[in-house]
């Protein structure tokens, strides 16, 4: 079992920055990758960024050059710069476990970007 807790969301003006955090606990040694997804009202959840246990990173085209994912021990961060109103969503942190491929999710944190 893995537990994930997101924090750092809030309200920011367009062009501003936020840093989201994802704290993991439990069987963290089994985590293969940490993923950030987001879901806007009325839309499907979409991939934002991921970082593997080997620190390989991947980004959605819509956030490349603006968002940076990084890790520090048991926390993974999503630095979001040059935010746009279309970045408004609930951001979820997810962990993918090695071997089983099982996924665990946090409760989400709201990010609202005003124009």
């Amino acid at each position: 079992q893995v537990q994930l807790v997101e924090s750092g969301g809030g309200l920011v003006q367009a062009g501003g920055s936020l840093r989201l955090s994802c704290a993991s606990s439990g069987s963290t040694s089994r985590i293969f990758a940490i993923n950030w997804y987001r879901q806007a009202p009325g839309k499907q959840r979409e991939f934002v960024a991921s970082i593997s246990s080997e620190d390989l990173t991947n980004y959605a085209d819509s956030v490349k050059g603006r968002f940076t994912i990084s890790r520090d021990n048991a926390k993974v961060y999503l630095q979001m710069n040059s935010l746009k109103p279309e970045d408004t969503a609930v951001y979820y942190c997810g962990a993918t476990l090695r071997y089983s491929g099982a996924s665990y999710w946090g409760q989400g944190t709201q990010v609202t970007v005003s124009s």
Side-chain angles (χ1 to χ4, degrees):
Q1 291 271 350
V2 173
Q3 295 78 43
L4 302 167
V5 178
E6 303 99 330
S7 60
L11 173 64
V12 64
Q13 288 189 334
S17 298
L18 282 174
R19 188 176 79 157
L20 305 183
S21 298
C22 174
S24 59
S25 60
S27 301
T28 57
S29 62
R30 298 174 59 196
I31 294 175
F32 170 71
I34 294 288
N35 313 291
W36 283 100
Y37 277 70
R38 66 187 181 188
Q39 187 166 19
K43 294 188 177 181
Q44 288 190 329
R45 189 174 295 193
E46 64 174 2
F47 171 78
V48 176
S50 66
I51 186 165
S52 74
S53 55
E54 290 80 31
D55 288 338
L56 296 175
T57 59
N58 192 27
Y59 297 92
D61 288 342
S62 59
V63 306
K64 278 182 182 176
R66 300 189 299 122
F67 291 11
T68 303
I69 190 169
S70 62
R71 70 164 70 246
D72 179 11
N73 293 324
K75 279 195 174 181
V76 170
Y77 301 98
L78 186 67
Q79 178 67 44
M80 306 186 297
N81 299 328
S82 302
L83 283 162
K84 305 175 182 180
E86 50 263 44
D87 294 318
T88 295
V90 177
Y91 283 71
Y92 296 92
C93 168
T96 303
L97 302 190
R98 63 180 82 250
Y99 309 123
S100 69
S103 294
Y104 293 86
W105 294 94
Q107 81 288 350
T109 185
Q110 176 70 47
V111 171
T112 303
V113 184
S114 63
S115 57

